[in-house]
Amino acid sequence: MKSFRRELWFSTARRREFINITPQVEECLAVSGIREGLCLVNAMHITASVFINDDESGLHHDFEVWLEKLAPHAPTSQYRHNGYEDNADGHLKRQIMGREVVVAITEGKLDFGPWEQIFYGEFDGRRKKRVLVKIIGE
Ligand code: ZN
């Protein structure tokens, strides 16, 4: 069995962003040389997500509005977590959007359903953060 590991680094300009990381994951897969197996992609930080959905700007806006309704950033004093930090909403948003995705690899390609793309979801950005890509197979 072959195994491949790489960290992708992000430093977003804004507190919250969604970034399509499918091209980077596809590059990892190409470098790995793995044709059949599984690809895990996970956020390495507890205020960031990795998720699969449509690359459609209206939907991304809807996610932002929905998450902000569920866990508004302000007032920051509403959260017990916000003693030294102001990112309690980021932890809650990440929990809803998920930590990781697993994608099947078939004939050397990510075996997506229609319109599926992999996203990095940042909820407390403006600093360096990582995503782990781990691919196993043969
Ligand atoms: Zn925190």
Side-chain angles (χ1 to χ4, degrees):
M1 189 192 75
K2 282 194 224 172
S3 168
F4 175 92
R5 181 187 189 278
R6 182 181 285 176
E7 292 174 3
L8 309 176
W9 286 83
F10 300 93
S11 185
T12 60
R14 286 175 288 141
R15 178 181 287 272
R16 291 191 292 279
E17 280 185 35
F18 297 132
I19 301 169
N20 187 338
I21 61 170
T22 311
Q24 288 102 307
V25 178
E26 283 172 339
E27 198 211 323
C28 290
L29 179 55
V31 173
S32 77
I34 292 169
R35 305 275 307 160
E36 296 290 329
L38 292 171
C39 176
L40 166 76
V41 187
N42 70 265
M44 298 181 81
H45 301 264
I46 52 181
T47 54
S49 289
V50 172
F51 63 95
I52 291 182
N53 219 301
D54 194 359
D55 194 359
E56 196 278 305
S57 60
L59 179 65
H60 295 182
H61 173 79
D62 295 340
F63 276 139
E64 166 68 18
V65 171
W66 178 64
L67 290 167
E68 198 55 26
K69 255 186 231 163
L70 289 171
H73 175 70
T76 55
S77 61
Q78 73 189 298
Y79 300 106
R80 287 198 189 179
H81 178 67
N82 286 342
Y84 301 98
E85 296 184 290
D86 66 351
N87 66 1
D89 67 304
H91 290 276
L92 298 174
K93 286 164 176 146
R94 171 265 168 80
Q95 204 63 29
I96 291 165
M97 297 304 281
R99 171 182 180 265
E100 79 278 308
V101 300
V102 177
V103 183
I105 299 158
T106 305
E107 296 178 353
K109 298 236 186 295
L110 297 171
D111 202 341
F112 286 132
W115 304 107
E116 285 192 329
Q117 295 282 288
I118 305 171
F119 292 90
Y120 176 64
E122 177 61 78
F123 305 113
D124 185 25
R126 300 177 293 197
R127 56 203 171 95
K128 287 184 75 182
K129 289 163 85 169
R130 287 175 291 166
V131 165
L132 176 66
V133 180
K134 181 89 180 192
I135 306 172
I136 56 169
E138 53 194 356

